[in-house]
């Protein structure tokens, strides 16, 4: 019986399903073969170009991905998947500003699309408009979203804003919606490590290991968590388990090498890195570990060679760059160090907070206070929740004689952290001995003990008084020319209008306050 040539034919919906299945299991070459086979037949389908863009994104061919997405827009210029695709690709190549234009276009055409709004949370977080990011997330949350990515993006916004408890809750909700969301598992574990709650991070990974006991990535993360808690023996046991389960992978040897680095067994570390490189001669992490151990034993040339080998294999790895430029600073090769710091800054990542901290500390040591202040301020703009930056900025201003400019910074600090040991040190500073300075510090101590609601009340009260006296001043200034132009009638008319306006305002406020007393708590007649 003759074989029908149409038996293997794929209609476009079947083609899409087949290619997506291949993407999920990482068979990108097979996916491209199918796409190429049908390219001329389905050339007018926007989704064909979207699939190509996914293929090129997964294989890190970003410019080709951008070209395909633009080609798709020729057939459907408003489709949210194409516009969001351009946003994500441009963000991945550290050009969030350009990507944001396509996201805003998607928002214009699809103002209620949940995926667009979820992406807006990420975008606002990337450009450091955290209040806007949180507002969009809370809108979606109140609408009852079930999208785990929305909770992931909202959690990151809360974390950047320093609202750690809400960040944790958002990440947990994302995991309830998708237990296999690996990125969120790692983010939540890192959050626990940051809070020095490594036991929670370890428990999180143990839950995953119950379902997938041979998960190499999770086992490696367990080693890291144990090391953060200085639990060397459990870390070594997990690393040995990795070697036993995956003897032909460099991962276990590298992880065990990190354990030995923490216990200062340097010869054994080099032995483990050599085993890893015997298995995988192009493993960047093994070269990085080798660089760290050579730096520890003051073999600078070998450390340089190892770090540069690691960066030649993984040129965008920020962690390797940081290890290298810290080594260069230790060995006082500052020009080369600054070159690598600037290379790291070209990544334009929110993680560059560490680079700004590093430069601020370096220039402070060099006595260049203004440069140090500049980088502290940049770090604060990226991460306003990093409250420990504020005392350092205030200290530089005080050293340079700009005492009055330090007060607003210290005011923000006490609002977040209260009156603590750091503020006591500022209070005892020799520059705060004048009467004005003493009164300013007394005010900061008083202000730190008041609740945010009280501060808002005080601000509103004095704002109202200011506006009232300012309006009286304007009325008096208008009175003279009106008297000259219209005589006593003009002056009386102005006085009457001012009195009516003032009475209407206070009557309205009285009515609203009375209505608010009748409403349940947390509700108001004012939105």
């Amino acid at each position: 019986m003759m074989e029908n040539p149409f038996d293997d034919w794929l209609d476009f919906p079947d083609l899409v399903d087949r290619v997506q299945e291949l993407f999920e299991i990482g068979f990108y070459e097979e996916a491209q073969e199918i796409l190429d086979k049908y390219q001329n037949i389905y050339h007018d389908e926007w989704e064909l170009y979207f699939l190509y863009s996914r293929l090129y994104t997964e294989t890190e061919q970003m410019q080709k991905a951008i070209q395909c997405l633009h080609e798709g827009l020729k057939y459907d210029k408003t489709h949210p998947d194409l516009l969001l695709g351009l946003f994500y690709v441009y963000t991945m190549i550290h050009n969030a500003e350009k990507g944001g234009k396509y996201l805003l276009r998607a928002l214009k055409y699809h103002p209620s699309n949940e995926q667009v709004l979820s992406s807006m949370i990420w975008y606002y977080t990337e450009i450091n408009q955290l209040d806007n990011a949180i507002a969009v997330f809370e809108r979606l949350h109140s609408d009852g979203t079930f999208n785990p990515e929305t909770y992931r993006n909202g959690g990151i916004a809360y974390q950047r804003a320093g609202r750690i408890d809400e960040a944790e809750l958002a990440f947990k909700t994302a995991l309830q919606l998708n237990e296999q969301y690996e990125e969120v598992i790692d983010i939540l574990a890192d959050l626990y490590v940051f809070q020095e709650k490594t036991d929670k991070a370890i428990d999180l990974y143990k839950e995953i290991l119950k379902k997938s006991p041979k998960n190499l990535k999770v086992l490696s993360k367990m080693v890291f968590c144990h090391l953060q808690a200085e639990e060397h023996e459990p870390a070594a046991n997990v690393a040995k388990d990795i070697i036993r389960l995956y003897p032909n992978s460099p991962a276990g040897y590298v992880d065990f090498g990190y354990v030995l680095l923490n216990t200062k067994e340097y010869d054994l570390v080099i032995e483990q890195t050599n085993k890893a490189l015997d298995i995988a001669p192009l493993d960047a992490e093994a070269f990085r570990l080798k660089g760290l151990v050579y730096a520890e034993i003051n073999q600078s040339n070998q450390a340089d060679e190892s770090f540069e080998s690691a960066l030649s294999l993984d040129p965008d790895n920020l962690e390797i760059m940081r290890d290298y430029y810290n080594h260069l600073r230790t060995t006082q090769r500052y020009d080369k160090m600054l070159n690598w710091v600037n290379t790291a800054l070209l990544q334009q990542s929110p993680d560059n907070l560490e680079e700004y901290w590093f430069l601020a500390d370096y220039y402070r040591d060099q006595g260049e206070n203004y440069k140090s202040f500049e980088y502290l301020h940049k770090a604060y703009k990226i991460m306003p929740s990093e409250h420990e930056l504020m005392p350092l900025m205030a200290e530089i201003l005080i050293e340079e004689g700009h005492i009055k400019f330090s007060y607003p910074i210290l005011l923000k600090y006490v609002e977040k952290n209260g009156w603590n040991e750091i503020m006591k040190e500022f209070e005892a500073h020799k520059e705060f001995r004048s009467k004005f300075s003493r009164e300013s510090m007394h005010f900061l101590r008083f202000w730190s003990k008041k609740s945010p609601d009280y501060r808002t009340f005080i601000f509103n009260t004095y704002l109202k008084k200011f506006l009232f006296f300012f309006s009286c001043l304007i009325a008096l200034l208008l009175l003279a020319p009106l008297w000259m132009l219209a005589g006593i009638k003009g002056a009386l008319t102005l006085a009457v209008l001012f009195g009516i306006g003032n009475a209407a305002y206070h009557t309205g406020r009285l009515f609203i306050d009375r209505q608010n007393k009748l409403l349940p708590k947390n509700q108001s007649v004012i939105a």
Side-chain angles (χ1 to χ4, degrees):
M1 183 176 178
M2 184 178 292
E3 191 172 315
N4 190 336
F6 293 100
D7 285 346
D8 293 331
W9 180 262
L10 293 175
D11 291 329
F12 191 68
D14 297 327
L15 170 69
V16 173
D17 290 341
R18 178 76 63 83
V19 171
Q20 287 180 337
E21 287 172 5
L22 292 170
F23 283 161
E24 287 175 9
I25 58 177
F27 285 15
Y28 301 118
E29 290 183 7
E30 291 81 354
Q32 184 163 4
E33 285 178 12
I34 294 175
L35 289 172
D36 291 345
K37 180 179 177 181
Y38 290 91
Q39 181 180 14
N40 293 330
I41 298 165
Y42 298 123
H43 65 88
D44 56 350
E45 296 281 355
W46 70 266
E47 200 165 1
L48 178 79
Y49 301 99
F50 179 73
L51 291 171
Y52 266 116
S53 74
R54 278 194 61 191
L55 170 71
Y56 291 132
T57 302
E58 293 289 347
T59 55
E60 298 184 2
Q61 301 178 66
M62 300 305 180
Q63 292 304 321
K64 285 187 176 181
I66 290 169
Q67 290 171 8
C68 289
L69 290 165
H70 279 296
E71 194 67 29
L73 286 174
K74 292 179 182 178
Y75 299 98
D76 190 341
K77 67 178 182 180
T78 65
H79 201 285
D81 287 351
L82 295 169
L83 295 169
L84 288 176
L86 283 164
F87 164 66
Y88 285 121
V89 175
Y90 275 116
T91 304
M92 289 171 74
I93 59 174
H94 312 298
N95 195 344
E97 184 178 354
K98 190 166 185 177
K101 294 177 182 177
Y102 294 101
L103 178 58
L104 294 173
R105 192 189 300 179
L107 183 66
K108 175 184 174 183
Y109 293 128
H110 310 280
S112 301
N113 183 295
E114 184 175 345
Q115 194 59 42
V116 173
L117 291 171
S118 181
S119 300
M120 286 299 299
I121 302 170
W122 185 22
Y123 174 63
Y124 281 135
T125 304
E126 284 289 305
I127 63 173
N128 206 36
Q129 294 184 18
L130 300 178
D131 290 340
N132 288 339
I134 290 169
V136 176
F137 168 71
E138 290 178 348
R139 169 188 163 184
L140 287 172
H141 174 64
S142 64
D143 289 345
T145 178
F146 291 99
N147 184 351
E149 188 177 343
T150 298
Y151 285 96
R152 174 258 190 200
N153 293 344
I156 292 173
Y158 278 132
Q159 186 178 2
R160 291 273 298 278
R163 296 164 64 172
I164 301 300
D165 291 341
E166 290 156 298
E168 181 181 346
L169 183 59
F171 294 139
K172 285 182 175 178
T173 306
L175 290 176
Q176 288 172 1
L177 295 168
N178 180 4
E179 293 181 354
Q180 306 301 318
Y181 203 156
E182 290 187 8
E183 184 187 2
V184 174
I185 292 168
D186 289 341
I187 292 172
L188 182 56
D190 288 342
L191 181 66
Y192 286 141
V193 171
F194 173 76
Q195 295 176 281
E196 298 182 356
K197 298 177 181 178
T198 49
D199 54 332
K200 284 191 172 185
I202 291 167
D203 290 342
L204 186 65
Y205 285 126
K206 281 181 177 177
E207 285 298 314
I208 301 169
L209 289 173
K210 287 179 183 178
K211 298 176 182 178
S212 179
K214 295 183 179 181
N215 189 315
L216 175 58
K217 183 180 176 183
V218 173
L219 288 167
S220 188
K221 289 282 186 180
M222 287 275 287
V223 175
F224 170 77
C225 291
H226 282 302
L227 287 177
Q228 290 298 307
E230 297 185 357
E231 298 170 351
H232 298 138
E233 187 174 345
N237 291 336
V238 177
K240 289 174 183 177
D241 284 342
I242 297 173
I243 294 171
R244 178 177 55 80
L245 290 168
Y246 301 98
N248 295 320
S249 168
Y253 300 104
V254 171
D255 287 337
F256 191 34
Y258 276 112
V259 177
L260 296 167
L261 182 66
N262 277 263
T263 57
K264 302 185 186 303
E265 298 174 75
Y266 300 128
D267 290 340
L268 294 177
V269 178
I270 293 172
E271 183 182 316
Q272 294 301 311
T273 59
N274 288 335
K275 287 180 180 179
L277 290 169
D278 286 341
I279 295 167
L282 302 180
D283 189 82
E285 196 63 30
F287 279 111
R288 174 194 178 192
L289 177 56
K290 207 167 212 180
L292 287 170
V293 72
Y294 281 133
E296 284 290 328
I297 60 178
N298 299 318
Q299 294 188 19
S300 183
N301 292 334
Q302 290 93 325
D304 288 358
E305 289 175 9
S306 299
F307 283 130
E308 287 175 10
S309 295
L311 287 166
S312 68
L313 295 166
D314 192 357
D316 296 327
N317 191 313
L318 275 174
E319 296 303 321
I320 300 174
M321 288 186 209
R322 287 166 182 162
D323 290 334
Y324 192 21
Y325 65 62
N326 273 288
H327 165 64
L328 292 168
R329 182 180 180 182
T330 303
T331 53
Q332 299 183 353
R333 288 174 289 165
Y334 300 127
D335 290 340
K336 194 171 184 179
M337 175 201 79
L338 290 172
N339 286 337
W340 278 108
V341 176
N342 290 327
T343 302
L345 287 172
L346 291 174
Q347 301 273 354
Q348 295 182 353
S349 164
D351 294 335
N352 282 144
L353 175 72
E354 193 166 326
E355 274 66 55
Y356 291 133
W357 266 105
F358 178 86
L359 287 169
D361 184 62
Y362 166 70
Y363 283 117
R364 192 93 160 92
D365 281 350
Q366 300 295 312
E368 298 185 49
N369 280 347
Y370 289 117
K371 274 194 173 182
S372 179
F373 183 88
E374 177 189 349
Y375 287 111
L376 287 170
H377 188 252
K378 285 181 176 180
Y380 181 72
K381 285 177 69 177
I382 288 179
M383 192 75 75
S385 62
E386 197 77 22
H387 304 145
E388 300 310 313
L389 290 163
M390 289 185 270
L392 297 174
M393 289 192 282
E395 189 177 325
I396 290 173
L397 289 171
I398 293 165
E399 277 188 24
E400 296 297 327
H402 305 300
I403 312 297
K404 293 181 180 178
F405 289 113
S406 70
Y407 295 136
I409 295 174
L410 293 174
L411 179 63
K412 281 187 180 180
Y413 180 73
V414 297
E415 284 179 352
K416 300 290 185 182
N417 296 70
W419 192 267
N420 54 21
E421 292 300 320
I422 292 174
M423 288 307 301
K424 288 178 183 178
E425 290 178 14
F426 276 111
E427 188 178 32
H429 199 285
K430 64 180 182 180
E431 297 293 345
F432 289 110
R433 291 177 182 170
S434 69
K435 184 177 180 182
F436 177 82
S437 298
R438 301 303 302 169
E439 288 300 321
S440 299
M441 295 306 285
H442 290 157
F443 170 76
L444 290 176
R445 182 191 283 271
F446 161 79
W447 195 250
S448 69
K449 296 176 181 177
K450 303 302 177 184
S451 68
D453 289 339
Y454 177 80
R455 295 176 199 143
T456 303
F457 167 74
I458 290 292
F459 176 78
N460 289 338
T461 300
Y462 282 98
L463 178 63
K464 289 174 188 175
K465 289 183 178 181
F466 169 76
L467 292 174
F468 175 75
F469 287 114
F470 184 72
S471 59
C472 290
L473 179 62
I474 295 296
L476 288 172
L477 292 173
L478 290 173
L479 193 60
L482 278 172
W483 184 288
M484 294 174 63
L485 294 172
I488 192 167
K489 289 183 179 180
L492 287 173
T493 301
L494 176 66
V496 169
L497 289 173
F498 180 78
I500 291 171
N502 201 30
Y505 169 77
H506 286 289
T507 303
R509 289 302 315 174
L510 184 65
F511 172 76
I512 290 170
D513 291 341
R514 184 171 294 177
Q515 288 296 108
N516 284 339
K517 288 178 182 177
L518 300 175
L519 289 172
K521 288 185 177 181
N522 301 324
Q523 292 190 31
S524 172
V525 296
I526 299 179

